[in-house]
Amino acid sequence: MEEIKYAGNFVKVTEEKLSGLIWERVYIKSGVQVFPFTADGKIILIEEKRPHEKVPTRLKFVTGQMDNEAEDPLETANREMQEEIGFKANTLKILLHRESSGTINNHFYQVIAKDLVASKIPNPDGEDSIIRQKAYSIDEILEFYECGKMQWSMDSLGIYRIKDLIAKDKLF
């Protein structure tokens, strides 16, 4: 039987004894990363204050955590866009879904969004946490990885997937 050792707002840590061994599990709130497309085919990125990270500001995609496991990731994507860039999308589609299970457990959804309309709701991180937003082409974003302005991670996989779908005319 799993025993909770720590439970915070975003992370839960448990232990369970199985076959004479102690197994630790970390449960991280599931989250989304959104690629909001402008009418001219660019993707909106934000520069955000991150005072708790090694680099206190970063260029990133719209991201956020799901309020609970029952929340629809597309609803989360729209909420996060409304908080961070002041838009929601009339068209949303899951691009990629990764499920981690075992020692580290969560779901991560990458969502593409288009047909954006103005719709601002308050940002729980504070309105001053977003320094600026700007739309970039796929090639500009790929250059950000190459020059180190953005780190290679799951979002780079999403950008390459988007580039491939655009080339095949299958993005939406």
Side-chain angles (χ1 to χ4, degrees):
M1 177 177 205
E2 273 186 281
E3 180 183 342
I4 296 173
K5 294 296 184 174
Y6 171 81
N9 288 328
F10 307 108
V11 176
K12 177 175 76 172
V13 179
T14 67
E15 288 183 353
E16 184 175 16
K17 190 170 186 174
L18 297 167
S19 303
L21 299 171
I22 302 290
W23 294 93
E24 298 173 327
R25 292 188 189 95
V26 176
Y27 295 89
I28 301 170
K29 270 189 150 182
S30 295
V32 298
Q33 180 175 56
V34 189
F35 302 100
F37 276 83
T38 61
D40 62 353
K42 294 183 176 183
I43 297 175
I44 299 172
L45 298 179
I46 61 172
E47 186 176 349
E48 181 180 48
K49 292 180 188 175
R50 304 297 293 172
H52 62 292
E53 295 182 9
K54 287 181 183 177
V55 179
T57 62
R58 67 176 167 159
L59 185 63
K60 70 178 208 66
F61 297 95
V62 172
T63 58
Q65 295 181 323
M66 297 170 68
D67 286 340
N68 58 65
E69 292 303 316
E71 185 175 27
D72 183 313
L74 300 179
E75 290 176 18
T76 305
N78 253 344
R79 183 185 71 241
E80 291 300 329
M81 285 191 301
Q82 290 173 289
E83 292 172 359
E84 295 183 7
I85 62 172
F87 290 96
K88 68 179 182 177
N90 287 323
T91 304
L92 293 160
K93 178 178 162 183
I94 293 176
L95 175 69
L96 296 168
H97 170 232
R98 176 193 46 83
E99 178 180 6
S100 295
S101 67
T103 302
I104 303 205
N105 300 271
N106 84 325
H107 291 267
F108 179 73
Y109 299 89
Q110 289 180 308
V111 176
I112 49 178
K114 74 172 192 171
D115 303 325
L116 304 180
V117 295
S119 179
K120 178 72 175 120
I121 62 173
N123 187 338
D125 294 335
E127 295 306 324
D128 65 337
S129 66
I130 306 297
I131 299 166
R132 71 183 56 88
Q133 60 177 292
K134 186 175 175 185
Y136 298 94
S137 70
I138 299 286
D139 290 334
E140 288 173 309
I141 294 169
L142 290 171
E143 180 57 33
F144 293 158
Y145 296 122
E146 292 298 329
C147 74
K149 192 170 184 176
M150 293 176 71
Q151 294 184 357
W152 293 96
S153 63
M154 282 294 293
D155 55 334
S156 44
L157 177 62
I159 288 297
Y160 275 107
R161 180 74 178 124
I162 288 169
K163 186 173 180 161
D164 180 62
L165 290 171
I166 289 171
K168 295 176 180 174
D169 198 29
K170 293 184 178 183
L171 187 59
F172 287 100

